[in-house]
Amino acid sequence: MAELVDTTTDLLQQMIRNACVNDGTVESGHELRSVDLLQGFLEGGGLDVQRYEPAPGRGSLVARIQGSDPNAPKLCLMGHTDVVPVNPGGWVNDPFGGELIDGEVWGRGAIDMLNLTSSMAVAFRNLARQGYTPRGDLIYFAVADEEAGGHWGAEWMLENEREAVMADYVLTEMGGFGFSHASGRSVMIAVAEKGAGGVRLTVKGTPGHGSMPLGADNALLKAAEVLRRLGAHRPTPQLDDLWTALLDTLGVDGQLRSDLMNPERVWDAAASLGDLGGKMLHACSHMSISPNVVHGGQKLNVIPDAVHIDVDIRTLPGQDADYVRAELGDAIGDLANDVDIEMLNDRPASRSPQDTPMWSVIENAVGLADPAAKVEPSLIVGGTDARHYRPHGAVVYGAGIFSPEIDMADFGSRFHGNNERIDVESLRLLTDFWDHIVRDFDGTFGD
Ligand SMILES: [Zn+2]
């Protein structure tokens, strides 16, 4: 398979050079460039592809290898083609050069996630070329607009072209990161992701003349107290099976582990770690509350009667809108009658089960690349395209594999960061990984 890694490397370099930078505007992204590239690449392997363009330039591509059994579970390998913007001044090499330097491919997207999008395409084309027929349909889905929430990508496709991309199992990004610790080695496979809810709090007061403020019912002063309470509020921690899996993954033990497992102490224990994982541990164990926008007041001499506070809320699996309202109510306390709560949007957390044949298939595939590693389920605190599929009933995992020499700190600094790059050994492991998974998954059906 040595020539396959060269193919993956080359395809990745070309995708980086396409610079499909998504700044959140519909005019950005230009993913059609990589659709053209992937179409040429896959058609070279005898595959038919479908192209979709819901807005000018915002292209996605789907290729399919028909399965032998229409009733067998379908598997979709999904990779996004867009990348986030760069700050070129922070890079030592051209962020869109796709250069291969000392065994590493440099450029925006090398980690997030063109490494997967390219290696999936190479494994997929290779299977097609070999005449491989899976039991259920095998789908390759190169999708636009993940970095801005998927509106012109996964969301649009599932709403408008569901038949083309729907599958029983979907594999995508945010898995395969490894940790070494005193009690061994762990590799994370993502099974869940937090929900996101925007909430607008309207703090009410009574208008009056700014020249006589004594005892005034000033909405801005009340809002200041509401904000102070939101900042001080500690939602009930959720220390569930994903939480213990995270502590296992990180190899946390001793006093720190017992503090992090204690609902009374987990907040302070996370805070004591600060940027060294504390923020992440906090986010993985609590609904988070971040008041990020305030609007209020009209005129210098008018006591304000309304202040709007927009709060970014991220929920854990199982925490619904009622839970959010109850926590906000606890936080606001005796000011509740002065505050209206309006849900701006409510995207629930999502989670896929682990007791599936695919989970064992992934464990095996990880084991081939990294025999010492134990596979642990993980929670993503941000969002990926997985969230669009799970409500349709698909089992979605964030999967992957990387060479054991890269640790989580490397990934952390390169994700959306400067000097993003991937080693060729990881590209080799990834290309093999998808091939193993497809063949192994078929093997789980028996005859
Ligand atoms: Zn990504």
Side-chain angles (χ1 to χ4, degrees):
M1 303 265 276
E3 71 287 358
L4 284 187
V5 69
D6 293 342
T7 311
T8 299
T9 303
D10 182 60
L11 189 60
L12 171 62
Q13 290 176 297
Q14 295 185 63
M15 293 187 81
I16 290 170
R17 289 170 194 148
N18 281 344
C20 300
V21 176
N22 186 350
D23 65 12
T25 66
V26 64
E27 296 81 20
S28 70
H30 308 287
E31 294 93 342
L32 214 58
R33 295 172 194 153
S34 284
V35 167
D36 288 340
L37 169 66
L38 288 164
Q39 179 171 14
F41 177 78
L42 293 167
E43 285 179 346
L47 286 153
D48 288 328
V49 307
Q50 276 80 48
R51 301 159 58 102
Y52 304 87
E53 194 180 352
R58 310 309 301 270
S60 292
L61 169 150
V62 177
R64 177 181 299 264
I65 303 177
Q66 207 77 42
S68 59
D69 176 357
N71 298 315
K74 299 175 171 61
L75 167 61
C76 175
L77 305 177
M78 171 172 62
H80 65 78
T81 52
D82 59 325
V83 298
V84 294
V86 297
N87 170 16
W91 288 64
V92 302
N93 291 302
D94 180 357
F96 300 107
E99 294 165 280
L100 177 61
I101 300 168
D102 296 334
E104 293 179 313
V105 177
W106 282 68
R108 175 56 88 225
I111 294 274
D112 180 15
M113 68 173 281
L114 306 181
N115 55 341
L116 308 186
T117 312
S118 58
S119 58
M120 285 170 169
V122 170
F124 187 89
R125 185 179 80 162
N126 184 56
L127 287 160
R129 274 191 166 167
Q130 293 178 350
Y132 185 80
T133 305
R135 282 291 278 270
D137 286 7
L138 178 65
I139 301 159
Y140 173 74
F141 180 20
V143 66
D145 200 30
E146 191 278 338
E147 295 291 1
H151 181 69
W152 301 111
E155 184 182 41
W156 189 91
M157 290 291 289
L158 281 160
E159 273 174 18
N160 297 281
E161 299 287 350
R162 191 172 180 277
E163 279 306 298
V165 293
M166 197 53 208
D168 302 271
Y169 292 90
V170 179
L171 300 182
T172 188
E173 65 185 323
M174 295 297 276
F177 308 123
F179 289 87
S180 294
H181 42 76
S183 36
R185 216 180 128 65
S186 310
V187 165
M188 302 166 96
I189 298 294
V191 300
E193 99 186 14
K194 285 185 92 173
V199 171
R200 172 161 294 177
L201 304 180
T202 299
V203 184
K204 298 170 293 186
T206 308
H209 202 288
S211 61
M212 292 186 289
L214 179 64
D217 181 26
N218 184 324
L220 196 48
L221 288 173
K222 258 189 280 184
E225 173 61 12
V226 168
L227 285 166
R228 193 197 62 75
R229 292 183 186 184
L230 289 176
H233 183 64
R234 298 184 174 191
T236 318
Q238 181 164 303
L239 309 180
D240 56 10
D241 58 324
L242 285 179
W243 178 247
T244 50
L246 176 60
L247 300 186
D248 291 345
T249 301
L250 300 173
V252 175
D253 52 17
Q255 186 59 42
L256 181 59
R257 188 178 183 105
S258 80
D259 286 346
L260 289 170
M261 287 304 299
N262 182 334
E264 305 292 324
R265 292 206 210 113
V266 56
W267 184 290
D268 290 325
S272 72
L273 296 169
D275 283 347
L276 287 171
K279 286 172 191 282
M280 196 258 295
L281 287 166
H282 171 264
C284 286
S285 52
H286 297 81
M287 174 183 118
S288 62
I289 302 174
S290 188
N292 292 346
V293 181
V294 171
H295 295 289
Q298 286 173 308
K299 194 164 180 291
L300 180 62
N301 62 356
V302 178
I303 291 170
D305 63 347
V307 171
H308 305 288
I309 305 170
D310 291 351
V311 190
D312 185 1
I313 304 238
R314 307 296 177 109
T315 51
L316 292 164
Q319 297 177 341
D320 59 10
D322 289 343
Y323 177 89
V324 172
R325 282 184 180 276
E327 284 292 348
L328 289 174
D330 278 358
I332 296 166
D334 61 4
L335 286 171
N337 288 334
D338 298 300
V339 181
D340 289 338
I341 300 176
E342 177 194 357
M343 297 280 178
L344 298 178
N345 54 59
D346 177 23
R347 185 182 88 217
S350 67
R351 181 173 182 178
S352 290
Q354 233 177 290
D355 56 343
T356 67
M358 181 57 81
W359 184 262
S360 329
V361 165
I362 291 174
E363 284 183 319
N364 289 338
V366 169
L368 287 169
D370 195 348
K374 182 171 185 303
V375 177
E376 298 280 3
S378 67
L379 166 76
I380 299 171
V381 298
T384 73
D385 280 334
R387 70 168 177 267
H388 297 298
Y389 269 96
R390 289 201 183 105
H392 291 269
V395 171
V396 190
Y397 297 134
I401 190 72
F402 296 93
S403 58
E405 289 76 51
I406 305 186
D407 67 19
M408 194 62 201
D410 293 322
F411 289 118
S413 70
R414 294 177 196 177
F415 249 96
H416 296 194
N418 292 331
N419 298 324
E420 186 176 349
R421 60 197 189 276
I422 183 88
D423 61 314
V424 171
E425 173 61 8
S426 290
L427 296 177
R428 185 185 70 75
L429 292 172
L430 279 166
T431 310
D432 286 355
F433 185 73
W434 308 120
D435 183 82
H436 286 136
I437 283 178
V438 170
R439 294 174 197 270
D440 244 33
F441 183 57
D442 277 337
T444 62
F445 302 128
D447 283 309

